[in-house]
Amino acid sequence: MSSAAPPLVRTRARVCGTVQGVGFRPFAYRLAHEERLAGYVLNDEHGVLLEVQGPADAVQRFLRRLRAEAPPLAAIDSVECEAIALAVGSGSGDGGFTIIDSRRSGSADALVTADAATCPDCLAELGDPADRRFRYPFINCTNCGPRFTIVRDVPYDRPQTTMASFVMCADCRREYEDPLDRRFHAQPNACPRCGPSVQALYADGSPVQTVDPIAWAAQRLAAGAIAAVKGLGGFHLACDAADERAVAALRARKHRDDKPFALMAPDLDAAATLVSLDPGTRALLTSPARPIVLAPRRHRTPVAAAVAPAASELGVMLPYSPLHHLLLGDCGRALVMTSGNLSDEPIAFRDDDALRRLRVIADLFLVHDRLIETRTDDSVVRSRRGMRSLMLRRSRGYVPAPLKLPVASPRPLLACGAQQKNTFCVARGDRAWVSHHVGDLEHAATLRAFREGIEHFERLFAVVPDVVVHDLHPQYLSTQYALERDGVKLVAVQHHHAHLAAGLAEHGVTAPAVGAIFDGTGYGEDGTIWGGELLVGDLQGFERAGWLWPVRMPGGTAAIRQPWRMAAAWLAAAHGEPQPVPDYLRDRVSARRWDAIAAIGASAAVSPLTSSIGRLFDAVGALCGTAAEVSYEGQAAVELETLAWAAPGRRRDAGYEIPLLDGCVLDPRGAVRSVCAELESGVDAASVAAAFHVAVADATIAALTRLAGARGLDTVVLAGGVFQNRLLLESVARGAIDAGLRVLVPERLPPNDGAISYGQAAIAAARWRGLSDWV
């Protein structure tokens, strides 16, 4: 007698997470056919929905493999399963499982995927003369290519993207409909016959008559030209990184005096000639996100001196789109690949805008006819030996992956972020979507991008906010935007509390902690400018338990652009009265200007108080001979750190002391006097810079240890833009760990103001339960 067939079961599975646009449906299709199961899979507004029917052991095996063998770009948050009735007439076997059309019947909840670098399979085809996509600059598949920058709405299907206007040819349609092809349901699928194309233009916008625009552009770059290149999220400005004249011309035309340029290397071997590559740096450079990675520059690096003057690190990335691979391959050398804008403006991402704004910089343009829906800068990351990487700018390749909120928000909310390095955040339930890097909002074009970005995120993630969160500063344009929103509950959050909360929330911590929040500027609850804060608090509230000794900012924000003003203020504070300009600075600052600023330093009307450690680093940087006047934020402090790394040792015998007064007030006045005394006696500035870093780190460790012990806490948060300083961050983190403390450092978000919006959202969600009138 033959044995009876095993009984059939049917299971419905809801798969949530980043599962659209990553080849999940064709993956499920192939898996079901391997297990000989019937059923279907589809995309909807929540993610992926599927039903499978067959023998119980095969269904269970399918569900296990669904998680374990998911596509490389997928990120599964949950698989919720339920047993349902068998489908009449549906058994199991080949041909019984199908992909059916996407559907949407409610508010969108599906996660949109970040853009991903070109995969090895597509690269192989790109370089194969026998392949129909040989040298096609828009080659992609379900494992790579544009996602966030082209999507307009969800579910993620071609009609909802900027590829909607390109009708697939018969060959592409055949691939798209073949479950065994890796382009099965790859929404940007295209080829030279039916897809986008590249065009080279002269600076005046007239077309270049050439068979291969990319090869032509490469020849011009090799001859010293500057090119505006349209990438995934916007335009880059490119030139030969080894050509001193070309790099100098780019600096002059872009009005970017000193800030380092990013580089794009053809491959990992070429990158290794530019920077030191540890395993963490290699992993970041070759990851699907392909960020700019900051790494120590090699001695005698083969790039022009003007690429990164006075910087100990270079920012390097590898090609992440087929167009970049072709251009870099044709050039055969590293290129400067910097943002396509004039200094401080948002990057150009529309062709007409790029031609209007960048023609004064670029000698030629490489454009294409695939529209960019969302302007997105390159991300910037730094690898840290033995530690998780440090995000410095979170944008292309990482956005819009959501972050969890440790306390779910019962109503949708919008957090507007800060003024500088702005991001915004929309949140619903326990998900928070932090935006791409927007920039500094004082520029009209950036403010417009901020408003447009909020509208896009609210539509994309179906967030109609009941609550809008903003910074305490009344003059921030992000605050003013929040105040314009009608019919919402407004919540104001102190800047440094948002930093603390972001550090806690990213690590899923709701308990109180001690925070060292060091940055340049933040509006304090007492109306002064905070920036060297020792906070004790959690997501709901905080206490200002310590701070840096406050001094005047002569002339207010002018002192940010002219760090020598802060040097004059700190010398006056250190000696109890205004001091003359030190002899060794007379060739950089005239005695007349110094004395005039020292005189107004005592005036509260024009010189507000600040406890900013960022401004202290500016002051010591100016004293040590770094930039007396800066062309970008934090330049003096960056150059001071570069000096410190150049010192032969960290000098713990220098005698610099920053005592803790009245509990936890850091008093660096004696250290400032020591800095000046050593410089006047001829001690090398690098040695002084190193000793100053040691003094600040030691004082911070002492303050954190004291506060944690007094409050019975074991967790500390290090956040704020000053902790972008690798030397300071690693010294403080190591010292706090040695003292037995758990140290939380931002990882998925930057320590700078790019994390403020997420911290604001976490605070608002946590406070909600205590505010019954919100519900």
Side-chain angles (χ1 to χ4, degrees):
M1 294 178 62
S2 61
S3 59
L8 302 180
V9 298
R10 189 175 185 88
T11 297
R12 176 181 294 140
R14 157 68 60 197
V15 187
C16 295
T18 305
V19 290
Q20 290 191 12
V22 295
F24 201 91
R25 288 177 298 171
F27 158 69
Y29 176 95
R30 289 191 290 270
L31 205 61
H33 276 258
E34 289 176 15
E35 297 293 345
R36 301 183 61 80
L37 299 174
Y40 68 84
V41 62
L42 61 82
N43 280 348
D44 66 9
E45 67 273 15
H46 301 298
V48 166
L49 182 68
L50 60 87
E51 292 184 8
V52 285
Q53 179 168 312
D57 59 344
V59 169
Q60 288 306 310
R61 195 163 50 245
F62 169 89
L63 294 173
R64 287 195 300 271
R65 295 179 66 190
L66 199 67
R67 275 185 175 276
E69 302 173 21
L73 298 183
I76 298 176
D77 288 343
S78 63
V79 180
E80 300 173 358
C81 301
E82 62 173 323
I84 59 176
L86 293 175
V88 177
S90 178
S92 64
D94 292 337
F97 191 94
T98 59
I99 294 177
I100 63 178
D101 290 340
S102 300
R103 68 189 187 200
R104 179 169 177 172
S105 59
S107 297
D109 196 32
L111 301 185
V112 177
T113 312
D115 299 85
T118 312
C119 71
D121 289 334
C122 283
L123 278 181
E125 294 173 346
L126 187 69
D128 181 0
D131 193 277
R132 70 188 187 91
R133 291 189 176 88
F134 174 60
R135 288 186 65 83
Y136 182 56
F138 304 95
I139 191 170
N140 70 88
C141 67
T142 53
N143 296 324
C144 67
R147 300 293 193 275
F148 173 64
T149 51
I150 65 170
V151 68
R152 288 172 166 156
D153 208 340
V154 293
Y156 176 74
D157 285 314
R158 193 176 181 107
Q160 308 275 42
T161 74
T162 61
M163 287 294 295
S165 60
F166 297 97
V167 179
M168 281 184 277
C169 65
D171 288 336
C172 286
R173 173 61 63 179
R174 192 177 305 113
E175 294 168 332
Y176 184 86
E177 294 176 350
D178 180 0
L180 301 180
D181 195 289
R182 76 174 198 281
R183 293 189 171 93
F184 184 41
H185 283 251
Q187 303 308 330
N189 191 32
C191 75
R193 288 177 54 197
C194 64
S197 60
V198 171
Q199 185 178 28
L201 306 174
Y202 293 108
D204 63 2
S206 59
V208 177
Q209 301 303 317
T210 177
V211 174
D212 192 332
I214 296 174
W216 178 85
Q219 293 173 356
R220 292 293 311 278
L221 286 166
I226 297 170
V229 181
K230 185 178 180 182
L232 283 182
F235 278 80
H236 287 115
L237 290 164
C239 70
D240 184 345
D243 188 331
E244 195 71 63
R245 292 180 62 183
V247 177
L250 178 55
R251 282 207 175 278
R253 297 180 194 177
K254 188 175 162 67
H255 305 303
R256 185 162 169 171
D257 297 334
D258 302 296
K259 192 173 183 179
F261 285 137
L263 302 175
M264 182 175 280
D267 51 39
L268 204 56
D269 289 340
T273 68
L274 306 175
V275 294
S276 298
L277 298 182
D278 60 23
T281 302
R282 289 175 180 271
L284 286 168
L285 282 171
T286 57
S287 69
R290 288 292 200 281
I292 298 169
V293 183
L294 296 186
R297 67 191 303 166
R298 287 197 175 276
H299 183 56
R300 295 182 179 176
T301 301
V303 297
V307 165
S312 61
E313 297 177 308
L314 292 177
V316 180
M317 59 181 156
L318 297 184
Y320 54 82
S321 76
L323 190 153
H324 289 127
H325 278 284
L326 292 170
L327 183 63
L328 270 291
D330 289 348
C331 288
R333 68 192 78 186
L335 298 177
V336 167
M337 197 68 70
T338 189
S339 52
N341 58 2
L342 287 167
S343 186
D344 297 327
E345 291 181 352
I347 61 169
F349 73 116
R350 304 281 192 207
D351 293 1
D352 55 350
D353 181 47
L355 287 165
R356 178 179 58 82
R357 286 200 283 144
L358 302 183
R359 67 176 52 190
V360 297
I361 306 175
D363 301 309
L364 63 119
F365 288 78
L366 265 183
V367 300
H368 56 76
D369 52 355
R370 185 178 68 200
L371 295 178
I372 298 171
E373 180 66 19
T374 303
R375 176 195 344 242
T376 311
D377 291 85
D378 294 316
S379 297
V380 183
V381 186
R382 176 188 283 132
S383 175
R384 296 185 295 151
R385 292 183 185 274
M387 301 181 183
R388 296 287 295 274
S389 59
L390 184 72
M391 184 75 67
L392 300 176
R393 184 170 72 197
R394 181 178 180 269
S395 208
R396 180 196 50 76
Y398 296 96
V399 175
L403 281 77
K404 288 275 190 178
L405 289 174
V407 178
S409 178
R411 298 284 180 87
L413 62 84
L414 162 69
C416 296
Q419 179 87 346
Q420 307 296 319
K421 295 180 175 60
N422 176 269
T423 64
F424 57 84
C425 175
V426 296
R428 179 161 41 85
D430 64 354
R431 283 181 182 167
W433 292 271
V434 179
S435 77
H436 49 292
H437 169 81
V438 177
D440 300 343
L441 296 186
E442 61 264 27
H443 299 281
T446 312
L447 182 61
R448 184 167 57 251
F450 167 77
R451 292 174 175 272
E452 292 171 353
I454 289 174
E455 292 175 4
H456 183 53
F457 266 57
E458 288 180 352
R459 181 177 68 255
L460 202 59
F461 303 112
V463 174
V464 180
D466 291 337
V467 172
V468 175
V469 197
H470 60 84
D471 193 274
L472 274 184
H473 200 303
Q475 295 179 354
Y476 275 6
L477 294 178
S478 56
T479 299
Q480 294 179 18
Y481 169 84
L483 298 178
E484 295 171 1
R485 296 284 298 238
D486 294 328
V488 296
K489 174 76 176 181
L490 294 173
V491 178
V493 171
Q494 200 280 324
H495 186 91
H496 299 93
H497 184 207
H499 271 305
L500 173 66
L504 292 171
E506 182 187 337
H507 294 278
V509 176
T510 58
V514 180
I517 315 299
F518 294 170
D519 62 6
T521 301
Y523 191 79
E525 291 186 327
D526 59 0
T528 65
I529 300 171
W530 291 4
E533 309 310 306
L534 295 162
L535 308 183
V536 176
D538 56 17
L539 298 182
Q540 296 193 46
F542 75 98
E543 171 194 350
R544 191 189 190 202
W547 53 88
L548 183 72
W549 183 275
V551 299
R552 295 288 175 186
M553 276 181 72
T557 56
I560 300 174
R561 298 187 298 273
Q562 299 177 336
W564 65 266
R565 293 181 180 231
M566 290 309 305
W570 270 107
L571 281 181
H575 292 277
E577 59 183 359
Q579 298 294 297
V581 59
D583 290 342
Y584 59 87
L585 288 183
R586 288 181 180 273
D587 62 335
R588 302 169 66 85
V589 183
S590 70
R592 180 182 60 81
R593 291 183 74 195
W594 180 282
D595 292 343
I597 292 304
I600 70 169
S603 170
V606 294
S607 302
L609 278 174
T610 181
S611 59
S612 168
I613 284 188
R615 301 288 81 82
L616 172 63
F617 270 84
D618 284 352
V620 175
L623 291 172
C624 286
T626 66
E629 300 192 14
V630 299
S631 61
Y632 65 92
E633 182 192 7
Q635 179 181 346
V638 169
E639 293 179 6
L640 183 68
E641 183 189 2
T642 299
L643 271 178
W645 280 112
R650 296 282 82 87
R651 287 189 71 221
R652 289 196 167 273
D653 60 345
Y656 295 10
E657 292 186 8
I658 300 180
L660 302 180
L661 307 181
D662 300 326
C664 274
V665 176
L666 281 66
D667 182 6
R669 290 175 295 176
V672 171
R673 291 193 296 268
S674 297
V675 165
C676 286
E678 290 208 322
L679 291 169
E680 288 172 351
S681 67
V683 175
D684 180 66
S687 182
V688 172
F692 173 73
H693 276 76
V694 169
V696 174
D698 286 349
T700 304
I701 295 164
L704 291 171
T705 304
R706 178 181 296 184
L707 284 172
R711 306 303 179 90
L713 302 173
D714 63 359
T715 302
V716 299
V717 173
L718 307 181
V722 169
F723 282 112
Q724 293 176 138
N725 182 316
R726 182 164 60 100
L727 178 55
L728 181 67
L729 174 61
E730 292 178 358
S731 298
V732 174
R734 185 169 52 249
I737 291 170
D738 290 345
L741 298 172
R742 177 191 183 194
V743 177
L744 303 181
V745 176
E747 294 171 359
R748 297 182 64 192
L749 291 171
N752 60 43
D753 284 4
I756 288 290
S757 62
Y758 176 65
Q760 291 172 341
I763 289 169
R767 286 180 179 173
W768 204 308
R769 294 178 179 175
L771 299 174
S772 58
D773 58 315
W774 293 19
V775 180

